[in-house]
Amino acid sequence: MASSGWTRREFLKGAGLAAGALVLGGCTRTGGGGGGDPLEEARRSGTVQVGIAGEAPYGFTDATGRVTGEAPEVARAVFGNLGVGDVQATQVDFNQLIPALNANKFSVVAAGMFITPERCKNAAFSIPDYIAPTAFLVPRGNPEGVATFEDVVREKLNVAVLSGAVEKDYAQRLGVPDSQVQSFDSQNSLLQAVVNQRAYCAALTNISLNDLVRKNPEAPVEVTKGFTPVVDGKPEVQAGAFVFRSADTGLRDAFNVELKKLHDSGEWVRIASPFGFTQENVPPPGVTTEALCAGS
């Protein structure tokens, strides 16, 4: 993932009415940002609006018109515990989520957005919701035993990456020759490169690769165990979170309390597992929003 945006995700346009308590709505002004308490207003009305970008498996509208994905489902659980039963979703392009949040179009971004120093200048992030280790898509059985970029170098293998994504940078900085790095424009192209043996493996987050494999069960491939690349002695941690207006500290703090409860109880894994998330994606205590916002 490029630090300026989710270049690896395709924007999926769509709209519709979701079943049950989670629905897709239009852009309407919300409380907060103008002196009101957005949490109390949400409790009073029974409704809170969140922003999504229509990107599986993070937050999207499925074929039936239901808004779902890891972030909306976790948001539903958190707000339910906060006494807010109706979560409505507004879909915009990913790069418009923070501007729309700050324009009071919704109260929370629920789109799996990575915490970066640049984004932290314009909004407030929750505690990390998940971490996204790097992994490899490999032929079934992984005959070359690839688990890290160092293995790619040692075995002199070709690796496929998404154009503009951080995995290309990881590969190059960890010694993979440029001649062995192949760039593609879509996740499906990565899959085809491995299946057709144009590259031995493809590098991406384990979440995205698990989702890709789940959608292509006939493909003779598998996903390796996730890992955190260490480049120049620094772990390259990628963590996603929910996003709030900087002034809405009460809402963010209350949300953090309930989100941590979901992590600690194991309920988060139950909610997120249908979307390819596992216990491995639960952030460890040492991964903090403060450190990620500081770029450390």
Side-chain angles (χ1 to χ4, degrees), residues 71-130:
E73 297 297 350
V74 171
R76 171 189 275 172
V78 168
F79 280 110
N81 291 338
L82 290 172
V84 183
D86 182 16
V87 178
Q88 296 185 348
T90 296
Q91 182 170 311
V92 299
D93 282 353
F94 192 86
N95 62 359
Q96 291 301 308
L97 284 167
I98 288 179
L101 172 72
N102 287 328
N104 296 330
K105 299 300 183 182
F106 37 78
S107 295
V108 186
V109 172
M113 183 176 283
F114 279 5
I115 303 169
T116 68
E118 189 63 31
R119 290 172 181 156
C120 291
K121 295 176 184 177
N122 299 303
F125 283 82
S126 70
I127 60 174
D129 178 41
Y130 68 89

Side-chain angles (χ1 to χ4, degrees), residues 4 6 58 62 65 70-72 91 104 118 128 173 254 257 268-269 294:
S4 60
W6 285 83
Y58 306 93
D62 69 16
E70 182 273 338
Q91 182 170 311
N104 296 330
E118 189 63 31
R173 291 165 67 194
V257 169
W268 182 90
V269 174

Side-chain angles (χ1 to χ4, degrees), residues 137 190-199 219-221:
L137 185 72
L190 295 183
L191 173 65
Q192 294 305 314
V194 175
V195 170
N196 296 331
Q197 300 181 9
R198 294 179 61 187
V221 294

Side-chain angles (χ1 to χ4, degrees), residues 28-42:
T28 58
R29 287 197 177 273
T30 70
D37 183 329
L39 178 56
E40 289 309 311
E41 291 179 14

Side-chain angles (χ1 to χ4, degrees), residues 128-133 205-207 210 263 268-269 272 276-284:
D129 178 41
Y130 68 89
I131 58 171
T205 67
N206 67 342
I207 295 170
N210 286 332
H263 285 154
W268 182 90
V269 174
F277 295 73
T278 69
Q279 183 66 37
E280 183 181 31
N281 300 114
V282 176

Side-chain angles (χ1 to χ4, degrees), residues 48 72 110 114 122 128 134 136 146 163 190 201-202 214 227 230 239 250 258 261:
V48 65
F114 279 5
N122 299 303
T134 302
F136 292 104
V146 167
S163 300
L190 295 183
C201 58
R214 187 169 59 252
F227 67 98
V230 178
E258 297 302 327
K261 288 179 182 178

Side-chain angles (χ1 to χ4, degrees), residues 35-51:
D37 183 329
L39 178 56
E40 289 309 311
E41 291 179 14
R43 283 171 168 160
R44 187 162 49 248
S45 67
T47 300
V48 65
Q49 294 205 7
V50 304

